Amino acid sequence: MNARVLVLAALFALGQGVAPVAAQTAPDHSVAGNDAGLQHWLVDFRPRALDAGIRPDVFDAAIKGITYDENVIRRDRNQSEFTKTIWEYLETATSDLRIANGKAALERQSAALADIEAQYGVDKEVVVAIWGLESAYGTFRGRDGVIGSLASLAYDGRRQAFFEAELLEALRILQAGDTSPAKMTGSWAGAMGHTQFMPSSFQRHAVDFTKDGKRDIWGDDPRDALASTAAYLKHFGWTYQQPWGVEVTLPDGFDYLLADRETLKTPAEWAAIGITDMSGGTIPNHGPASILLPGGAEGAAFMIFSNFAVIERYNTADAYVIGVGHLSDRIVGGPPIAHGWPLQDRALTYDERIELQTELTALGFDTVKVDAKIGPLTINAVRNFQTAQGLLPDGYASLRLLERVRAVR
């Protein structure tokens, strides 16, 4: 499970959602639980927690005073409806203020970040960019009690197994003495601290960088959190000084079927078919790369490398990965994205994404899942439909594309 897992939708709101949803159904926004039900669930859960190794005193202290949180449940069920285009998201994620604050944060923590970079082999500006997107450099770490949030979500039952497992991990963190129930705060879905680790990710990847005997990602000192983020990225294969991606110019007559995550070529091979950097030069050999078109043929194009997939382990949405990568570039003085975007387009709603996947599958262009997530499987189905219709096969799931699907059906 990645570090953020379920909590990004309200932040970047791209509409690709990380929360599972029932196939071909709209999200259920109702809140049916109540505090009496939660207290009954906790009584039933206590023996399971103790069987899993949680001490009775730790369990009882952790749940003391917690109540059912309707807002947590409502936000969980509403998250699939938050939608923004990638350019709207990037406008916030890489705003002038966030870039300036990132430069200041990089300078403020320069000594620690240099040590973290040396120890883990993860570029410090990427760690700072994740910090910036997850908590605005520590200024918005979340104030919800993690135990209460996770208990409410586990009792709610929509994803009971997942949240019950996270709740057990949170209790183990308390039992280990890394923090106290009062200090264990985070976002509504249980992501914690400066860089918003879920409890399971904390258990696997958090480190005591300050050597004070605790892995403290919640306090005002961000060093343990920053080092933990670097440890996380290292675990998933970060390549030092390899870019996440580079904005590129595509040649006239480019074969858009090549813009596929599974089509890998070296920068020299891409250059041989006319792909250059924004100044017309050949991109250095950072390893095999693919071409990504997050805004379709009318938007910016990127040559992405293996570090793109590493950032994806933190959060699977392309917008998030591009946001982290581009923010890290801007923090160290890189240029803004040069190409424009199809500003006439709006993001598809939840219902429209469900409709698009359902109709494409019915037409024989199987999206494999009907889950409102516009990921690689749906992009491939869109591209196959476009090819069959004689359209430019850029895989871009726009309202115009949906209208064409409706016309065919």
Side-chain angles (χ1 to χ4, degrees):
M1 192 61 63
N2 62 39
R4 283 277 282 171
V5 187
L6 297 168
V7 297
L8 70 88
L11 172 64
F12 67 60
L14 186 64
Q16 297 187 15
V18 268
V21 294
Q24 301 186 51
T25 60
D28 177 9
H29 298 170
S30 61
V31 177
N34 55 52
D35 192 58
L38 173 63
Q39 302 307 321
H40 181 76
W41 182 86
L42 286 168
V43 170
D44 288 342
F45 176 62
R46 189 176 189 274
R48 298 199 296 278
L50 270 52
D51 287 345
I54 305 302
R55 298 197 312 268
D57 61 310
V58 171
F59 183 91
D60 295 340
I63 70 164
K64 183 178 180 180
I66 69 169
T67 58
Y68 182 65
D69 193 332
E70 291 186 3
N71 289 329
V72 165
I73 305 305
R74 192 170 289 111
R75 292 183 71 176
D76 177 52
R77 297 187 182 190
N78 283 348
Q79 64 174 319
S80 294
E81 288 193 340
F82 289 107
T83 57
K84 282 186 178 180
T85 61
I86 186 168
W87 51 93
E88 289 170 331
Y89 167 63
L90 291 175
E91 185 176 1
T92 299
T94 60
S95 67
D96 290 344
L97 179 61
R98 201 181 299 264
I99 293 166
N101 287 344
K103 291 177 178 179
L106 184 65
E107 176 63 26
R108 190 167 59 249
Q109 295 294 332
S110 59
L113 286 164
D115 289 344
I116 289 168
E117 184 177 80
Q119 181 172 340
Y120 294 101
V122 176
D123 303 82
K124 56 182 177 290
E125 62 269 17
V126 173
V127 174
V128 171
I130 289 175
W131 187 24
L133 288 191
E134 296 296 345
S135 69
Y137 310 106
T139 58
F140 297 100
R141 282 166 264 168
R143 298 178 180 177
D144 292 332
V146 167
I147 299 298
S149 293
L150 292 174
S152 294
L153 288 161
Y155 155 63
D156 177 61
R158 194 164 72 94
R159 284 170 286 160
Q160 181 172 354
F162 171 77
F163 283 115
E164 187 169 308
E166 292 294 333
L167 178 56
L168 283 172
E169 295 294 357
L171 291 168
R172 292 186 180 109
I173 293 168
L174 294 175
Q175 187 158 287
D178 286 302
T179 191
S180 66
K183 292 180 180 179
M184 184 183 268
T185 56
S187 67
W188 62 268
M192 310 177 299
H194 286 264
T195 53
Q196 296 289 278
F197 271 26
M198 291 297 286
S200 59
S201 292
F202 178 97
Q203 290 287 65
R204 289 191 290 267
H205 303 291
V207 297
D208 176 17
F209 183 77
T210 60
K211 307 299 183 186
D212 66 353
K214 297 181 179 181
R215 300 172 293 173
D216 182 9
I217 66 172
W218 301 271
D220 291 336
D221 185 343
R223 289 177 294 170
D224 281 359
L226 298 177
S228 298
T229 299
Y232 184 96
L233 296 175
K234 177 184 178 181
H235 174 82
F236 287 109
W238 186 265
T239 300
Y240 182 58
Q241 292 191 335
Q242 179 195 73
W244 64 275
V246 178
E247 187 181 4
V248 294
T249 297
L250 304 179
D252 293 338
F254 176 70
D255 180 2
Y256 283 90
L257 293 176
L258 295 175
D260 187 306
R261 291 288 294 275
E262 296 182 0
T263 300
L264 296 170
K265 298 179 184 291
T266 66
E269 289 171 327
W270 286 119
I273 61 173
I275 296 179
T276 69
D277 64 21
M278 299 309 288
S279 63
T282 299
I283 293 168
N285 184 15
H286 299 293
S290 57
I291 303 300
L292 182 69
L293 305 172
E298 297 180 38
F302 301 92
M303 185 181 295
I304 59 173
F305 298 90
S306 61
N307 278 346
F308 188 97
V310 177
I311 301 173
E312 272 187 316
R313 298 305 295 259
Y314 217 91
N315 188 301
T316 59
D318 286 350
Y320 179 85
V321 180
I322 295 169
V324 166
H326 187 52
L327 179 59
S328 71
D329 292 342
R330 298 300 307 279
I331 286 172
V332 293
I337 293 171
H339 199 284
W341 298 99
L343 300 180
Q344 73 277 8
D345 290 343
R346 64 164 174 80
L348 295 176
T349 67
Y350 174 91
D351 289 339
E352 287 169 341
R353 298 193 305 275
I354 289 290
E355 179 188 359
L356 176 63
Q357 292 176 319
T358 302
E359 295 301 319
L360 283 172
T361 300
L363 287 167
F365 306 98
D366 193 358
T367 63
V368 183
K369 299 177 181 179
V370 179
D371 57 5
K373 301 177 185 179
I374 308 300
L377 296 173
T378 297
I379 289 172
N380 285 338
V382 168
R383 184 179 286 112
N384 291 336
F385 172 81
Q386 290 169 324
T387 300
Q389 291 292 305
L391 304 172
L392 194 67
D394 62 1
Y396 179 45
S398 64
L399 180 59
R400 288 170 289 166
L401 187 281
L402 175 58
E403 290 170 346
R404 183 63 174 260
V405 170
R406 289 169 175 166
V408 172
R409 283 287 288 166

